[in-house]
Amino acid sequence: MDRRQEILEAAAKSFSLFGYKATTMDQVAKIANVGKGTIYTFFANKEELFNAIVVKMINEMRAEADAVSVEGAPFEQNAHARLMQMLKFRGTHQLYAKLIDEEKELRTPAVGEVLQAIEKEIVFYVKEKIEKGIAKGEVKPCDTELVAYMLFKAYLALVSDWTKTHDEELSEERIAALLNGTIFKSLLI
């Protein structure tokens, strides 16, 4: 493994354990077992290092979402599977979960900006899939960015926010049935 990769892994570990605000370049150097100067040969500052890790995390999330799609399956089935996978990733990926916690507790500006950037990437990803669905004749022409945003927020609300005001989680089947009978029904040709 090369030094840059070792530094990225060490930084991801530090950010995952301590959050953005509490992570220092000294900590990263210690975890990577390199001198602090070595880090600066690859990354100008903590923000650049953090952004490199976030880009890697976004790529992992996209890959996991793509991995659950089924070739030849209906648009709504693949859209549901991809969105659910992205939300599972959001809840189980140690760094992503730590960033969400840090934003809630500390309101660190850099973390808020990164979470907004991740949300934009998710919406862009969903928008791309809707555009492909339109091109294939599966989805009616629509404002793809607005629909992507609405789908993401609907899934987020049903998966994450529902339990804040209700005693039980919604099953994946119930979420799929609700959205198939409403949003997807109006989108599909």
Side-chain angles (χ1 to χ4, degrees), residues 37 43 45 62 65-66 72 74 77 82 85 88-90 99-100 111 115 119 121 131 134 136 148 150 153 155 186:
F43 302 97
N45 52 39
R62 288 176 75 107
D66 283 338
Q77 180 183 330
R82 287 179 172 128
Q85 187 61 37
K88 287 175 187 170
F89 183 94
R90 182 181 188 268
L99 295 176
I100 291 168
V111 171
L115 289 174
E119 184 174 299
E121 285 295 322
E131 288 169 352
I134 291 170
K136 287 181 176 178
M150 180 180 62
K153 289 299 188 172
Y155 272 90
S186 67

Side-chain angles (χ1 to χ4, degrees), residues 3-13 43 49 52-53:
R3 286 274 194 231
R4 185 178 193 282
Q5 189 60 37
E6 288 173 0
I7 292 166
L8 283 170
E9 287 185 12
K13 184 175 184 178
F43 302 97
L49 178 58
I53 292 163

Side-chain angles (χ1 to χ4, degrees), residues 60-95:
E60 288 172 21
M61 183 172 47
R62 288 176 75 107
E64 284 191 25
D66 283 338
V68 296
S69 71
V70 176
E71 186 68 35
F75 174 83
E76 68 274 18
Q77 180 183 330
N78 280 333
H80 174 77
R82 287 179 172 128
L83 281 157
M84 289 300 294
Q85 187 61 37
M86 291 176 113
L87 290 172
K88 287 175 187 170
F89 183 94
R90 182 181 188 268
T92 59
H93 190 276
Q94 191 176 1
L95 175 59

